[in-house]
Amino acid sequence: MSSVMQDLLEQSSFDKLKEGSVVSGTITEIRQNEVVVDIGGKSEGLIPAHEFIDIGELQIGSQIEVLLEKLEDKTGNPVVSFDKAEQKKNWENILTTFPEGSVATGRVKAKVKGGLIISVGVDAFMPASHIDVQPPKNLDQYVGQTYDFKVLKINPERKNIVLSRRELIEEQRAEKRRTLLDSIEPGQVRKGIVKNITDFGAFIDLDGMDGLLHITDMSWGRISHPSEMLKQGEEIEVMIIEVNRDKERVSLGLKQTTKNPWDEIDRKYPVGAKIAGKVVNLVPYGAFVELEPGVEGLVHITEMSWTKRISKPSELLKVGDEVEAVVLGIQKDEQKISLGLRQLEPNPWDMVRHNYPVGARVRGKVRNMTTYGAFIELEEGIDGMVHVSDMSWTRKVNHPSEVLKKGDEVEATVLDVDAQQQRISLGMKQLSDDPWSDIDSHFKIGDVITGTVTKLTSFGAFVDLKDGIDGLVHISQISEDRVEKVKDVLSAGQEVTARVIKIDREERRLGLSIKAANYSSEELAAETASFEALNRQSGTDMMNLGDILDAAHDKKD
Protein backbone atom coordinates (compact mmCIF):
# COMPACT_ATOMS: atom_id res chain seq x y z
CA MET A 1 0.00 0.00 0.00
CA SER A 2 1.36 3.37 -0.92
CA SER A 3 2.20 5.90 1.75
CA VAL A 4 -0.41 8.23 0.30
CA MET A 5 -3.11 5.59 0.76
CA GLN A 6 -1.92 4.87 4.31
CA ASP A 7 -2.12 8.55 5.19
CA LEU A 8 -5.62 8.76 3.76
CA LEU A 9 -6.78 5.79 5.90
CA GLU A 10 -5.25 7.22 9.08
CA GLN A 11 -6.81 10.58 8.40
CA SER A 12 -10.17 8.85 7.90
CA SER A 13 -9.84 6.99 11.26
CA PHE A 14 -8.62 10.11 13.04
CA ASP A 15 -11.65 12.07 11.87
CA LYS A 16 -13.89 9.52 13.62
CA LEU A 17 -12.20 9.95 17.00
CA LYS A 18 -13.96 12.29 19.42
CA GLU A 19 -12.68 13.64 22.70
CA GLY A 20 -14.59 12.23 25.69
CA SER A 21 -15.56 9.05 23.88
CA VAL A 22 -14.60 5.47 24.73
CA VAL A 23 -12.60 3.92 21.89
CA SER A 24 -10.96 0.59 21.23
CA GLY A 25 -7.21 0.32 21.17
CA THR A 26 -4.51 -2.28 20.62
CA ILE A 27 -1.62 -2.80 23.06
CA THR A 28 1.55 -2.41 21.03
CA GLU A 29 4.15 -2.25 23.81
CA ILE A 30 4.34 -2.90 27.55
CA ARG A 31 6.98 -0.88 29.35
CA GLN A 32 8.01 -0.80 33.03
CA ASN A 33 5.93 2.25 33.95
CA GLU A 34 3.50 2.59 31.03
CA VAL A 35 1.54 0.78 28.34
CA VAL A 36 1.54 1.92 24.68
CA VAL A 37 -1.86 1.74 22.91
CA ASP A 38 -2.74 2.29 19.25
CA ILE A 39 -6.23 3.80 18.89
CA GLY A 40 -5.96 4.38 15.09
CA GLY A 41 -4.80 7.95 15.33
CA LYS A 42 -1.75 9.72 13.99
CA SER A 43 0.28 8.43 16.91
CA GLU A 44 -0.01 6.06 19.86
CA GLY A 45 -1.21 6.87 23.35
CA LEU A 46 0.56 6.16 26.66
CA ILE A 47 -1.27 4.83 29.72
CA PRO A 48 0.46 4.86 33.20
CA ALA A 49 1.00 1.36 34.62
CA HIS A 50 -0.79 2.17 37.91
CA GLU A 51 -4.14 2.32 36.04
CA PHE A 52 -4.00 -1.47 35.70
CA ILE A 53 -4.59 -3.80 38.61
CA ASP A 54 -1.83 -6.15 37.40
CA ILE A 55 0.27 -5.05 34.43
CA GLY A 56 1.68 -8.56 34.24
CA GLU A 57 -1.64 -9.88 32.96
CA LEU A 58 -1.55 -7.66 29.81
CA GLN A 59 -0.42 -8.99 26.43
CA ILE A 60 0.83 -7.22 23.32
CA GLY A 61 -1.89 -7.27 20.64
CA SER A 62 -4.73 -7.38 23.16
CA GLN A 63 -7.69 -5.08 22.64
CA ILE A 64 -8.69 -2.71 25.44
CA GLU A 65 -11.08 0.20 25.67
CA VAL A 66 -9.77 3.58 26.67
CA LEU A 67 -11.21 7.07 27.21
CA LEU A 68 -9.90 9.63 24.72
CA GLU A 69 -9.35 12.66 26.87
CA LYS A 70 -7.52 14.70 24.25
CA LEU A 71 -6.81 14.15 20.52
CA GLU A 72 -3.32 15.56 20.80
CA ASP A 73 -1.12 16.89 23.55
CA LYS A 74 1.78 19.29 23.05
CA THR A 75 3.86 16.50 21.51
CA GLY A 76 1.07 15.41 19.15
CA ASN A 77 0.18 12.25 21.06
CA PRO A 78 -3.40 11.39 22.11
CA VAL A 79 -4.16 11.50 25.85
CA VAL A 80 -5.94 8.27 26.82
CA SER A 81 -6.95 6.57 30.09
CA PHE A 82 -7.88 2.98 30.68
CA ASP A 83 -9.05 3.73 34.23
CA LYS A 84 -11.40 6.54 33.20
CA ALA A 85 -12.86 4.42 30.42
CA GLU A 86 -13.65 1.74 33.00
CA GLN A 87 -15.23 4.32 35.27
CA LYS A 88 -17.37 5.77 32.51
CA LYS A 89 -18.58 2.33 31.47
CA ASN A 90 -19.21 1.28 35.04
CA TRP A 91 -20.90 4.41 36.40
CA GLU A 92 -24.43 3.38 35.30
CA ASN A 93 -23.81 -0.15 36.55
CA ILE A 94 -22.63 1.27 39.89
CA LEU A 95 -25.88 3.19 40.39
CA THR A 96 -27.95 0.04 40.01
CA THR A 97 -25.52 -2.50 41.51
CA PHE A 98 -24.42 -0.57 44.63
CA PRO A 99 -27.22 1.62 46.00
CA GLU A 100 -26.73 3.54 49.25
CA GLY A 101 -26.35 1.16 52.20
CA SER A 102 -25.01 -1.73 50.08
CA VAL A 103 -21.58 -3.31 50.36
CA ALA A 104 -19.05 -2.92 47.56
CA THR A 105 -15.59 -4.41 47.14
CA GLY A 106 -12.91 -1.99 46.06
CA ARG A 107 -9.19 -1.32 45.87
CA VAL A 108 -7.48 1.62 47.53
CA LYS A 109 -5.95 3.65 44.70
CA ALA A 110 -4.36 6.60 46.44
CA LYS A 111 -4.09 8.74 49.53
CA VAL A 112 -5.55 12.25 49.23
CA LYS A 113 -6.16 15.07 51.64
CA GLY A 114 -8.69 13.94 54.22
CA GLY A 115 -8.91 10.31 53.21
CA LEU A 116 -8.49 7.69 50.45
CA ILE A 117 -9.60 7.22 46.83
CA ILE A 118 -11.24 3.81 46.37
CA SER A 119 -11.82 2.12 43.01
CA VAL A 120 -15.13 0.24 42.94
CA GLY A 121 -15.43 0.41 39.15
CA VAL A 122 -15.47 4.16 39.51
CA ASP A 123 -13.48 6.34 41.87
CA ALA A 124 -15.08 6.84 45.28
CA PHE A 125 -13.94 8.78 48.34
CA MET A 126 -13.56 7.46 51.90
CA PRO A 127 -12.90 10.00 54.69
CA ALA A 128 -10.04 9.14 57.08
CA SER A 129 -12.51 8.96 59.97
CA HIS A 130 -14.31 6.10 58.18
CA ILE A 131 -11.25 3.93 57.53
CA ASP A 132 -11.32 2.04 60.82
CA VAL A 133 -12.87 2.07 64.29
CA GLN A 134 -9.88 4.11 65.42
CA PRO A 135 -8.59 6.54 62.77
CA PRO A 136 -5.14 5.32 61.67
CA LYS A 137 -2.08 7.57 61.77
CA ASN A 138 -0.57 6.29 58.52
CA LEU A 139 -2.86 6.12 55.46
CA ASP A 140 -0.13 4.87 53.13
CA GLN A 141 -0.46 1.37 54.55
CA TYR A 142 -3.88 1.00 52.88
CA VAL A 143 -2.86 1.95 49.34
CA GLY A 144 -3.10 -1.05 47.02
CA GLN A 145 -5.19 -3.09 49.49
CA THR A 146 -8.65 -4.49 48.66
CA TYR A 147 -11.48 -4.30 51.21
CA ASP A 148 -15.26 -4.38 51.49
CA PHE A 149 -16.89 -0.97 51.96
CA LYS A 150 -20.34 0.29 52.83
CA VAL A 151 -21.83 2.81 50.36
CA LEU A 152 -22.78 5.83 52.48
CA LYS A 153 -23.88 8.37 49.87
CA ILE A 154 -24.16 8.68 46.06
CA ASN A 155 -24.45 12.00 44.23
CA PRO A 156 -25.33 11.17 40.56
CA GLU A 157 -25.05 14.74 39.39
CA ARG A 158 -21.51 15.15 40.67
CA LYS A 159 -20.75 11.49 40.13
CA ASN A 160 -19.55 11.35 43.70
CA ILE A 161 -19.63 8.26 45.98
CA VAL A 162 -18.73 8.28 49.68
CA LEU A 163 -17.70 4.97 51.27
CA SER A 164 -17.11 3.75 54.83
CA ARG A 165 -15.12 0.80 56.03
CA ARG A 166 -15.60 1.74 59.69
CA GLU A 167 -19.39 1.36 59.64
CA LEU A 168 -19.06 -2.04 58.08
CA ILE A 169 -16.58 -3.07 60.78
CA GLU A 170 -18.86 -1.72 63.51
CA GLU A 171 -21.85 -3.61 62.12
CA GLN A 172 -19.80 -6.78 61.93
CA ARG A 173 -18.53 -6.24 65.49
CA ALA A 174 -22.08 -5.58 66.74
CA GLU A 175 -23.20 -8.88 65.27
CA LYS A 176 -20.18 -10.66 66.73
CA ARG A 177 -20.84 -8.94 70.09
CA ARG A 178 -24.42 -10.24 70.14
CA THR A 179 -23.21 -13.71 69.30
CA LEU A 180 -20.44 -13.50 71.89
CA LEU A 181 -22.76 -12.31 74.68
CA ASP A 182 -25.14 -15.16 73.91
CA SER A 183 -22.43 -17.78 74.29
CA ILE A 184 -19.92 -16.38 76.78
CA GLU A 185 -19.93 -17.67 80.38
CA PRO A 186 -17.71 -17.14 83.45
CA GLY A 187 -14.94 -19.71 83.65
CA GLN A 188 -14.44 -19.98 79.90
CA VAL A 189 -10.95 -19.45 78.46
CA ARG A 190 -10.88 -17.45 75.23
CA LYS A 191 -8.29 -15.93 72.94
CA GLY A 192 -8.06 -12.18 72.51
CA ILE A 193 -5.84 -9.42 71.19
CA VAL A 194 -4.38 -6.74 73.48
CA LYS A 195 -6.09 -3.65 72.11
CA ASN A 196 -5.08 -0.95 74.56
CA ILE A 197 -2.94 -0.71 77.72
CA THR A 198 -3.66 1.69 80.58
CA ASP A 199 -2.22 2.25 84.07
CA PHE A 200 -4.99 0.16 85.65
CA GLY A 201 -5.15 -2.69 83.14
CA ALA A 202 -5.66 -3.61 79.50
CA PHE A 203 -8.59 -3.87 77.10
CA ILE A 204 -8.69 -7.17 75.24
CA ASP A 205 -10.46 -7.57 71.88
CA LEU A 206 -12.43 -10.80 72.06
CA ASP A 207 -13.38 -10.59 68.36
CA GLY A 208 -16.70 -8.90 68.88
CA MET A 209 -16.28 -6.83 72.01
CA ASP A 210 -13.67 -5.57 74.41
CA GLY A 211 -13.13 -7.03 77.86
CA LEU A 212 -11.25 -5.42 80.75
CA LEU A 213 -8.27 -7.22 82.18
CA HIS A 214 -7.49 -5.42 85.44
CA ILE A 215 -3.88 -5.22 86.63
CA THR A 216 -4.77 -7.18 89.78
CA ASP A 217 -5.92 -10.10 87.62
CA MET A 218 -2.79 -10.26 85.45
CA SER A 219 -0.42 -12.06 87.77
CA TRP A 220 -0.41 -13.89 91.08
CA GLY A 221 2.71 -11.87 91.82
CA ARG A 222 3.54 -8.18 91.98
CA ILE A 223 3.59 -5.97 88.88
CA SER A 224 3.71 -2.17 88.88
CA HIS A 225 2.38 -1.63 85.34
CA PRO A 226 0.49 -3.81 82.80
CA SER A 227 3.18 -3.15 80.17
CA GLU A 228 5.49 -5.41 82.19
CA MET A 229 3.38 -8.39 81.03
CA LEU A 230 1.56 -7.34 77.86
CA LYS A 231 2.25 -5.73 74.51
CA GLN A 232 -0.29 -4.01 72.29
CA GLY A 233 -1.35 -6.32 69.45
CA GLU A 234 -0.28 -9.46 71.32
CA GLU A 235 -2.60 -12.49 71.31
CA ILE A 236 -3.27 -13.98 74.74
CA GLU A 237 -5.61 -16.45 76.42
CA VAL A 238 -7.81 -15.06 79.20
CA MET A 239 -10.46 -16.44 81.51
CA ILE A 240 -13.96 -14.93 81.63
CA ILE A 241 -14.47 -13.79 85.24
CA GLU A 242 -17.74 -11.86 85.04
CA VAL A 243 -20.31 -11.03 82.33
CA ASN A 244 -22.79 -8.13 82.52
CA ARG A 245 -25.06 -8.65 79.52
CA ASP A 246 -27.20 -5.58 80.24
CA LYS A 247 -24.21 -3.22 80.16
CA GLU A 248 -22.31 -5.42 77.69
CA ARG A 249 -19.25 -5.60 79.96
CA VAL A 250 -16.87 -8.47 80.45
CA SER A 251 -14.23 -8.79 83.17
CA LEU A 252 -11.23 -10.93 82.31
CA GLY A 253 -8.42 -12.66 84.18
CA LEU A 254 -5.00 -13.75 83.02
CA LYS A 255 -3.60 -15.18 86.24
CA GLN A 256 -6.70 -17.38 86.57
CA THR A 257 -5.54 -19.38 83.55
CA THR A 258 -2.69 -20.75 85.69
CA LYS A 259 -2.73 -22.55 89.03
CA ASN A 260 -2.75 -20.36 92.12
CA PRO A 261 0.65 -20.89 93.79
CA TRP A 262 -0.88 -19.99 97.18
CA ASP A 263 -3.09 -23.11 97.20
CA GLU A 264 -0.26 -25.30 98.55
CA ILE A 265 1.85 -22.55 100.07
CA ASP A 266 2.01 -24.00 103.59
CA ARG A 267 3.28 -27.31 102.21
CA LYS A 268 5.93 -25.72 100.02
CA TYR A 269 7.11 -23.18 102.61
CA PRO A 270 6.49 -24.55 106.13
CA VAL A 271 7.16 -22.33 109.14
CA GLY A 272 10.80 -22.62 110.16
CA ALA A 273 11.98 -23.62 106.68
CA LYS A 274 15.04 -21.97 105.18
CA ILE A 275 14.28 -20.51 101.73
CA ALA A 276 16.03 -18.53 98.98
CA GLY A 277 14.60 -15.62 97.01
CA LYS A 278 15.22 -12.30 95.30
CA VAL A 279 14.56 -8.83 96.76
CA VAL A 280 11.94 -7.22 94.48
CA ASN A 281 10.85 -4.18 96.47
CA LEU A 282 11.97 -2.06 99.42
CA VAL A 283 9.53 -0.12 101.61
CA PRO A 284 10.14 1.88 104.80
CA TYR A 285 9.00 -1.02 106.99
CA GLY A 286 10.82 -3.88 105.24
CA ALA A 287 11.73 -5.76 102.07
CA PHE A 288 9.63 -7.98 99.80
CA VAL A 289 11.36 -11.16 98.64
CA GLU A 290 10.08 -13.16 95.65
CA LEU A 291 10.16 -16.88 96.39
CA GLU A 292 8.67 -17.87 93.03
CA PRO A 293 6.50 -16.12 90.40
CA GLY A 294 3.39 -14.96 92.22
CA VAL A 295 4.71 -15.59 95.74
CA GLU A 296 6.41 -12.94 97.85
CA GLY A 297 7.33 -12.78 101.50
CA LEU A 298 7.99 -9.75 103.70
CA VAL A 299 11.11 -9.37 105.81
CA HIS A 300 10.09 -6.76 108.37
CA ILE A 301 12.82 -4.30 109.33
CA THR A 302 12.76 -5.67 112.89
CA GLU A 303 13.60 -9.15 111.56
CA MET A 304 16.72 -8.14 109.62
CA SER A 305 19.35 -8.18 112.37
CA TRP A 306 19.68 -9.14 116.02
CA THR A 307 22.11 -6.35 116.80
CA LYS A 308 22.39 -3.78 113.98
CA ARG A 309 20.22 -0.71 114.42
CA ILE A 310 18.59 -0.48 110.98
CA SER A 311 16.54 2.64 110.27
CA LYS A 312 15.69 1.70 106.67
CA PRO A 313 15.99 -1.60 104.72
CA SER A 314 18.29 -0.06 102.07
CA GLU A 315 21.05 0.03 104.69
CA LEU A 316 21.24 -3.77 104.42
CA LEU A 317 19.57 -4.77 101.13
CA LYS A 318 18.98 -3.57 97.58
CA VAL A 319 16.51 -4.62 94.88
CA GLY A 320 17.86 -7.60 92.95
CA ASP A 321 19.78 -9.12 95.87
CA GLU A 322 19.60 -12.90 96.17
CA VAL A 323 18.99 -13.68 99.85
CA GLU A 324 18.26 -16.55 102.20
CA ALA A 325 15.64 -16.25 104.92
CA VAL A 326 13.59 -18.25 107.40
CA VAL A 327 9.80 -18.61 107.18
CA LEU A 328 8.33 -17.10 110.36
CA GLY A 329 4.61 -17.27 109.57
CA ILE A 330 2.00 -17.78 106.82
CA GLN A 331 -1.39 -16.07 106.41
CA LYS A 332 -2.77 -18.09 103.53
CA ASP A 333 -6.11 -16.28 103.19
CA GLU A 334 -4.38 -12.88 103.03
CA GLN A 335 -1.57 -14.28 100.88
CA LYS A 336 1.14 -13.11 103.24
CA ILE A 337 4.39 -14.77 104.29
CA SER A 338 6.55 -13.38 107.10
CA LEU A 339 10.28 -13.94 106.68
CA GLY A 340 13.30 -13.30 108.86
CA LEU A 341 16.96 -12.76 108.03
CA ARG A 342 18.35 -12.60 111.55
CA GLN A 343 17.01 -16.08 112.32
CA LEU A 344 19.79 -17.48 110.11
CA GLU A 345 22.24 -16.61 112.92
CA PRO A 346 22.24 -17.33 116.68
CA ASN A 347 20.44 -14.74 118.78
CA PRO A 348 23.08 -12.96 120.91
CA TRP A 349 20.37 -12.17 123.44
CA ASP A 350 20.17 -15.88 124.25
CA MET A 351 23.58 -15.49 125.93
CA VAL A 352 22.82 -12.20 127.69
CA ARG A 353 21.88 -13.79 131.02
CA HIS A 354 25.13 -15.74 130.91
CA ASN A 355 27.29 -12.81 129.80
CA TYR A 356 25.62 -10.19 132.01
CA PRO A 357 24.30 -11.84 135.19
CA VAL A 358 22.39 -9.78 137.74
CA GLY A 359 24.83 -8.08 140.08
CA ALA A 360 27.70 -8.08 137.58
CA ARG A 361 29.74 -4.95 137.19
CA VAL A 362 29.87 -3.80 133.56
CA ARG A 363 31.42 -0.99 131.57
CA GLY A 364 30.14 0.72 128.42
CA LYS A 365 29.73 3.93 126.44
CA VAL A 366 26.72 6.23 126.62
CA ARG A 367 25.09 5.76 123.22
CA ASN A 368 21.86 7.69 123.65
CA MET A 369 19.82 9.57 126.25
CA THR A 370 16.11 10.06 126.78
CA THR A 371 14.11 11.98 129.36
CA TYR A 372 13.92 8.89 131.57
CA GLY A 373 17.45 7.48 131.31
CA ALA A 374 20.64 6.71 129.39
CA PHE A 375 21.41 3.76 127.08
CA ILE A 376 24.81 2.20 127.63
CA GLU A 377 26.31 0.10 124.81
CA LEU A 378 27.79 -3.03 126.36
CA GLU A 379 28.68 -4.63 123.00
CA GLU A 380 27.56 -4.16 119.41
CA GLY A 381 23.78 -4.28 119.40
CA ILE A 382 23.47 -4.93 123.15
CA ASP A 383 22.43 -1.95 125.26
CA GLY A 384 21.58 -1.57 128.89
CA MET A 385 19.57 1.32 130.33
CA VAL A 386 20.29 3.31 133.45
CA HIS A 387 17.09 4.95 134.71
CA VAL A 388 17.42 8.45 136.16
CA SER A 389 16.32 7.06 139.54
CA ASP A 390 19.33 4.70 139.52
CA MET A 391 21.98 7.33 138.80
CA SER A 392 22.53 8.76 142.30
CA TRP A 393 21.70 7.92 145.89
CA THR A 394 21.83 11.51 146.97
CA ARG A 395 20.77 13.68 144.01
CA LYS A 396 17.31 13.94 142.49
CA VAL A 397 18.19 13.60 138.77
CA ASN A 398 15.53 15.05 136.49
CA HIS A 399 17.39 14.35 133.22
CA PRO A 400 20.39 12.07 132.51
CA SER A 401 22.28 15.01 130.96
CA GLU A 402 22.68 16.37 134.52
CA VAL A 403 25.03 13.47 135.24
CA LEU A 404 26.20 12.11 131.85
CA LYS A 405 26.92 13.13 128.31
CA LYS A 406 26.87 11.11 125.08
CA GLY A 407 30.10 9.18 124.57
CA ASP A 408 31.01 8.95 128.27
CA GLU A 409 32.58 5.69 129.45
CA VAL A 410 30.66 4.61 132.54
CA GLU A 411 30.52 1.70 134.95
CA ALA A 412 27.28 0.23 136.21
CA THR A 413 25.74 -2.78 137.91
CA VAL A 414 23.33 -5.20 136.19
CA LEU A 415 19.98 -4.93 138.00
CA ASP A 416 17.73 -7.04 135.75
CA VAL A 417 17.83 -8.96 132.44
CA ASP A 418 14.78 -9.62 130.19
CA ALA A 419 16.14 -11.51 127.16
CA GLN A 420 12.70 -11.93 125.60
CA GLN A 421 12.07 -8.17 125.58
CA GLN A 422 15.77 -7.53 124.88
CA ARG A 423 16.18 -5.31 127.92
CA ILE A 424 18.98 -4.95 130.45
CA SER A 425 18.44 -2.67 133.45
CA LEU A 426 21.57 -1.07 134.88
CA GLY A 427 22.30 1.04 137.94
CA MET A 428 25.12 3.46 138.61
CA LYS A 429 24.33 4.32 142.22
CA GLN A 430 24.43 0.62 143.12
CA LEU A 431 28.22 0.67 142.64
CA SER A 432 28.48 2.24 146.10
CA ASP A 433 26.62 1.94 149.39
CA ASP A 434 23.65 4.15 150.05
CA PRO A 435 24.89 6.85 152.44
CA TRP A 436 21.36 7.31 153.71
CA SER A 437 21.31 3.74 155.00
CA ASP A 438 23.48 4.81 157.95
CA ILE A 439 22.88 8.56 157.91
CA ASP A 440 22.87 8.69 161.70
CA SER A 441 26.54 7.73 161.76
CA HIS A 442 27.36 10.75 159.59
CA PHE A 443 24.98 13.49 160.76
CA LYS A 444 22.97 14.20 163.89
CA ILE A 445 20.58 16.99 164.65
CA GLY A 446 22.53 19.84 166.19
CA ASP A 447 25.81 19.06 164.39
CA VAL A 448 27.64 22.08 162.99
CA ILE A 449 28.98 21.29 159.50
CA THR A 450 30.70 23.08 156.60
CA GLY A 451 29.59 22.78 152.93
CA THR A 452 29.48 24.51 149.55
CA VAL A 453 26.39 26.17 148.06
CA THR A 454 25.53 24.33 144.79
CA LYS A 455 22.15 25.71 143.83
CA LEU A 456 19.91 28.66 144.67
CA THR A 457 16.11 28.56 144.58
CA SER A 458 13.35 30.96 145.56
CA PHE A 459 12.81 29.04 148.82
CA GLY A 460 16.42 28.46 149.88
CA ALA A 461 19.85 27.07 148.96
CA PHE A 462 21.25 23.56 148.48
CA VAL A 463 24.57 22.84 150.17
CA ASP A 464 26.91 20.00 149.14
CA LEU A 465 28.14 18.06 152.19
CA LYS A 466 30.41 15.02 152.41
CA ASP A 467 29.63 11.73 150.57
CA GLY A 468 27.51 13.58 147.98
CA ILE A 469 24.74 14.35 150.46
CA ASP A 470 22.89 17.61 149.94
CA GLY A 471 21.51 19.84 152.68
CA LEU A 472 18.82 22.50 152.27
CA VAL A 473 18.97 25.87 153.99
CA HIS A 474 15.45 27.27 154.00
CA ILE A 475 15.21 31.04 153.38
CA SER A 476 13.99 31.47 156.96
CA GLN A 477 17.19 29.84 158.28
CA ILE A 478 19.72 31.99 156.44
CA SER A 479 19.87 35.00 158.77
CA GLU A 480 18.36 36.54 161.87
CA ASP A 481 17.33 39.39 159.63
CA ARG A 482 14.46 38.90 157.19
CA VAL A 483 15.72 37.74 153.77
CA GLU A 484 13.64 38.71 150.73
CA LYS A 485 15.77 37.02 148.06
CA VAL A 486 18.24 34.19 148.62
CA LYS A 487 20.63 35.47 145.93
CA ASP A 488 21.04 38.73 147.87
CA VAL A 489 22.73 36.81 150.70
CA LEU A 490 24.19 33.61 149.17
CA SER A 491 25.86 32.63 145.87
CA ALA A 492 26.75 29.34 144.16
CA GLY A 493 30.21 28.10 145.20
CA GLN A 494 30.13 29.95 148.51
CA GLU A 495 31.32 27.97 151.54
CA VAL A 496 28.96 28.15 154.52
CA THR A 497 28.79 26.85 158.08
CA ALA A 498 25.42 25.59 159.25
CA ARG A 499 23.77 23.48 161.90
CA VAL A 500 21.84 20.31 161.10
CA ILE A 501 18.26 20.97 162.12
CA LYS A 502 16.30 18.30 160.19
CA ILE A 503 16.94 14.79 158.84
CA ASP A 504 14.25 13.80 156.28
CA ARG A 505 14.87 10.18 155.31
CA GLU A 506 11.88 10.00 152.97
CA GLU A 507 12.98 12.96 150.86
CA ARG A 508 16.66 12.14 151.49
CA ARG A 509 17.40 15.73 152.50
CA LEU A 510 19.11 17.38 155.45
CA GLY A 511 17.63 20.61 156.84
CA LEU A 512 20.31 23.17 157.69
CA SER A 513 20.30 26.48 159.50
CA ILE A 514 23.03 29.06 158.96
CA LYS A 515 21.65 31.45 161.54
CA ALA A 516 21.73 28.73 164.23
CA ALA A 517 25.34 27.79 163.51
CA ASN A 518 26.65 30.60 165.75
CA TYR A 519 24.28 30.02 168.66
CA SER A 520 26.10 29.37 171.95
CA SER A 521 25.11 26.39 174.00
CA GLU A 522 23.34 28.76 176.39
CA GLU A 523 21.45 30.46 173.56
CA LEU A 524 20.53 27.14 172.06
CA ALA A 525 19.43 25.81 175.48
CA ALA A 526 17.34 28.94 176.03
CA GLU A 527 15.70 28.56 172.65
CA THR A 528 15.06 24.92 173.37
CA ALA A 529 13.60 25.60 176.82
CA SER A 530 11.36 28.32 175.42
CA PHE A 531 10.08 25.98 172.74
CA GLU A 532 9.51 23.12 175.18
CA ALA A 533 7.39 25.46 177.28
CA LEU A 534 5.34 26.26 174.20
CA ASN A 535 5.18 22.57 173.43
CA ARG A 536 3.80 21.75 176.89
CA GLN A 537 1.18 24.49 176.67
CA SER A 538 -0.02 23.37 173.24
CA GLY A 539 0.14 19.67 174.02
CA THR A 540 1.89 18.87 170.74
CA ASP A 541 5.07 16.95 170.14
CA MET A 542 7.61 18.55 167.78
CA MET A 543 10.24 16.02 166.93
CA ASN A 544 13.30 17.94 165.76
CA LEU A 545 15.43 20.96 166.38
CA GLY A 546 14.42 22.60 163.13
CA ASP A 547 10.84 22.82 164.27
CA ILE A 548 12.02 24.18 167.62
CA LEU A 549 14.05 26.93 166.01
CA ASP A 550 11.27 27.87 163.65
CA ALA A 551 8.74 28.07 166.45
CA ALA A 552 11.12 30.03 168.68
CA HIS A 553 11.78 32.47 165.86
CA ASP A 554 8.07 32.98 165.35
CA LYS A 555 7.68 33.66 169.10
CA LYS A 556 10.34 36.38 168.95
CA ASP A 557 8.60 38.05 166.05
Side-chain angles (χ1 to χ4, degrees), residues 527-542:
E527 293 283 2
T528 303
S530 176
F531 175 76
E532 287 177 349
L534 290 172
N535 187 41
R536 285 192 297 271
Q537 292 176 7
S538 62
T540 59
D541 185 15
M542 307 300 287

Side-chain angles (χ1 to χ4, degrees), residues 145-280:
Q145 303 297 318
T146 300
Y147 302 101
D148 286 339
F149 304 93
K150 183 177 181 180
V151 179
L152 290 184
K153 187 176 181 182
I154 298 176
N155 189 328
E157 295 178 359
R158 296 185 179 183
K159 294 186 177 180
N160 183 20
I161 300 178
V162 180
L163 304 177
S164 174
R165 179 170 172 263
R166 187 197 71 197
E167 288 200 7
L168 200 57
I169 293 173
E170 288 177 343
E171 290 175 1
Q172 292 169 348
R173 286 179 62 85
E175 179 60 33
K176 287 181 178 180
R177 183 162 55 250
R178 287 190 291 271
T179 302
L180 184 66
L181 284 171
D182 289 341
S183 61
I184 200 169
E185 294 291 343
Q188 292 177 351
V189 175
R190 292 189 175 243
K191 290 183 178 180
I193 305 294
V194 179
K195 185 176 180 180
N196 190 27
I197 296 176
T198 67
D199 291 337
F200 58 85
F203 289 95
I204 311 301
D205 184 354
L206 299 175
D207 191 24
M209 66 181 300
D210 293 343
L212 174 62
L213 173 59
H214 197 271
I215 187 172
T216 56
D217 288 309
M218 289 184 180
S219 172
W220 294 111
R222 176 196 302 273
I223 61 171
S224 57
H225 196 272
S227 59
E228 295 175 19
M229 293 194 65
L230 302 175
K231 291 182 180 179
Q232 193 167 347
E234 177 184 10
E235 184 179 69
I236 60 173
E237 283 192 343
V238 290
M239 180 175 286
I240 309 301
I241 297 177
E242 185 179 356
V243 179
N244 188 325
R245 289 182 170 82
D246 294 335
K247 296 184 178 180
E248 296 188 352
R249 292 179 184 172
V250 177
S251 298
L252 307 174
L254 183 60
K255 70 181 184 182
Q256 289 82 356
T257 60
T258 60
K259 189 175 181 180
N260 186 350
W262 287 88
D263 288 344
E264 299 180 350
I265 203 72
D266 44 3
R267 181 184 62 80
K268 295 176 68 176
Y269 304 105
V271 173
K274 183 177 178 181
I275 56 87
K278 182 172 71 174
V279 178
V280 293

Side-chain angles (χ1 to χ4, degrees), residues 393-414:
W393 289 114
T394 57
R395 289 183 58 184
K396 180 175 176 59
V397 181
N398 295 310
H399 193 278
S401 59
E402 297 173 13
V403 179
L404 302 169
K405 63 179 182 293
K406 196 171 181 179
D408 282 352
E409 289 280 348
V410 298
E411 287 189 345
T413 298
V414 178

Side-chain angles (χ1 to χ4, degrees), residues 298-317:
L298 172 66
V299 181
H300 196 271
I301 194 170
T302 58
E303 301 294 347
M304 290 185 176
S305 174
W306 293 114
T307 58
K308 290 182 180 178
R309 298 174 187 91
I310 301 170
S311 59
K312 51 185 178 181
S314 58
E315 295 174 8
L316 193 66
L317 301 169

Side-chain angles (χ1 to χ4, degrees), residues 19-116:
E19 290 183 358
S21 62
V22 176
V23 297
S24 180
T26 303
I27 298 174
T28 60
E29 187 179 353
I30 301 174
R31 300 173 183 171
Q32 184 176 359
N33 297 320
E34 58 190 9
V35 176
V36 182
V37 179
D38 180 8
I39 61 171
K42 294 180 179 180
S43 57
E44 296 173 322
L46 303 177
I47 301 175
H50 66 74
E51 292 196 14
F52 301 94
I53 296 176
D54 187 356
I55 197 172
E57 295 181 353
L58 302 179
Q59 294 181 356
I60 295 174
S62 298
Q63 295 289 317
I64 61 173
E65 289 185 326
V66 296
L67 177 69
L68 179 59
E69 298 185 67
K70 219 173 182 185
L71 288 172
E72 292 183 353
D73 59 12
K74 293 180 180 180
T75 59
N77 295 321
V79 179
V80 295
S81 171
F82 174 78
D83 193 41
K84 292 181 179 179
E86 291 293 305
Q87 290 190 49
K88 187 172 183 178
K89 290 188 299 179
N90 291 335
W91 179 253
E92 291 185 2
N93 290 334
I94 290 293
L95 295 178
T96 56
T97 307
F98 302 114
E100 291 181 0
S102 63
V103 176
T105 301
R107 180 175 64 91
V108 181
K109 288 180 61 177
K111 178 183 76 171
V112 295
K113 184 178 180 180
L116 299 172

